[in-house]
Amino acid sequence: MKIGILALQGDFEEHEAMLEALGVETLRVKTEKELLSVDGLILPGGESTTMTRLLEDMELYGALQTLKQRQVPIFGTCAGLILMSKEVEDGADLVKPLGFLDITVRRNAYGRQRESFESDLEIQFNGESETFRGIFIRAPRIVKVGTDVQILATHQGEPVMVRQGHALGSTFHPELSGSTKVHEYFLEIVKEAKG
Ligand code: GLN
């Protein structure tokens, strides 16, 4: 099993460290060929506008759509979740979302004072709830979810971790919390998909 981590920009090294701690083979992905070679893909946190520009410059949107058609598991955190959404309320020209998750997001939606904060979350892992430290950094808000989207965690009543089929996304940064639990959950999805 090989997990690719999009390594154009953002905190891909932290995701890599999590997966390495779990003994999983990783690949820093920067080309179409690399993208199409992985069993699962992580889109890290960073800046969704910059990532959009780089994905366009490097002509990677086509390969990402191929992964979507093949239902390759994808996990996006923060900016990565923004890229996975169907609609970005305030980013029409700057962010080109991929539509892996039937959600609408609003970028940088927590206002100045709470741009970055931490909060204990209750995450539903296969029907069992576990407490997980959520680290939010200039996080987006998920303002609309489609009927096929499962909400796995909320913060003050709003979804912060969602899943749709093999697509998983969080508005917070599980790669920074010190616990590998969310990454383990993603690896289960990849194993399931491989059959
Ligand atoms: N605010 C960033 C964006 O819009 C996301 C921040 C993050 O990934 N920590 O892309």
Side-chain angles (χ1 to χ4, degrees):
M1 179 163 79
K2 185 167 70 180
I3 306 294
I5 307 165
L6 188 71
L8 301 179
Q9 191 263 339
D11 74 337
F12 52 88
E13 285 177 13
E14 283 78 1
H15 281 287
E16 190 177 72
M18 282 270 146
L19 294 176
E20 277 171 5
L22 293 167
V24 176
E25 185 189 347
T26 61
L27 179 69
R28 292 188 186 185
V29 166
K30 286 186 181 143
T31 66
E32 179 167 321
K33 195 162 165 240
E34 288 162 346
L35 263 181
L36 296 174
S37 78
V38 298
D39 300 307
L41 178 70
I42 293 184
L43 303 178
E47 184 52 54
S48 54
T49 52
T50 309
M51 284 188 205
T52 293
R53 213 183 54 236
L54 293 170
L55 286 172
E56 281 187 323
D57 286 355
M58 302 177 80
E59 298 180 7
L60 294 178
Y61 270 93
L64 286 163
Q65 290 304 338
T66 304
L67 293 187
K68 185 171 152 194
Q69 278 153 20
R70 290 185 189 164
Q71 298 195 26
V72 171
I74 314 236
F75 172 31
T77 61
C78 204
L81 166 124
I82 296 171
L83 287 174
M84 286 177 75
S85 72
K86 195 163 142 192
E87 195 185 358
V88 183
E89 255 193 358
D90 50 344
D93 303 330
L94 297 170
V95 184
K96 192 168 143 194
L98 291 152
F100 287 103
L101 291 164
D102 184 11
I103 58 172
T104 301
V105 299
R106 188 180 304 146
R107 295 175 55 233
N108 303 321
Y110 283 97
R112 279 209 164 188
Q113 274 178 346
R114 281 163 46 86
E115 266 186 344
S116 301
F117 60 96
E118 293 190 17
S119 176
D120 276 341
L121 308 169
E122 291 300 320
I123 301 183
Q124 298 297 319
F125 293 110
N126 304 313
E128 270 178 43
S129 168
E130 250 187 69
T131 307
F132 191 92
R133 191 75 180 156
I135 299 177
F136 296 81
I137 303 169
R138 293 185 303 114
R141 275 189 144 115
I142 299 173
V143 293
K144 209 162 103 191
V145 292
T147 45
D148 293 336
V149 178
Q150 251 178 296
I151 297 172
L152 302 180
T154 58
H155 172 67
Q156 296 183 341
E158 293 179 10
V160 291
M161 182 165 157
V162 292
R163 175 177 175 178
Q164 183 173 13
H166 294 155
L168 179 70
S170 65
T171 63
F172 57 96
H173 287 270
E175 72 281 14
L176 300 179
S177 67
S179 162
T180 54
K181 185 71 200 179
V182 175
H183 287 76
E184 285 171 54
Y185 179 69
F186 176 60
L187 294 177
E188 277 175 38
I189 298 176
V190 179
K191 277 184 206 141
E192 237 172 70
K194 267 178 85 78

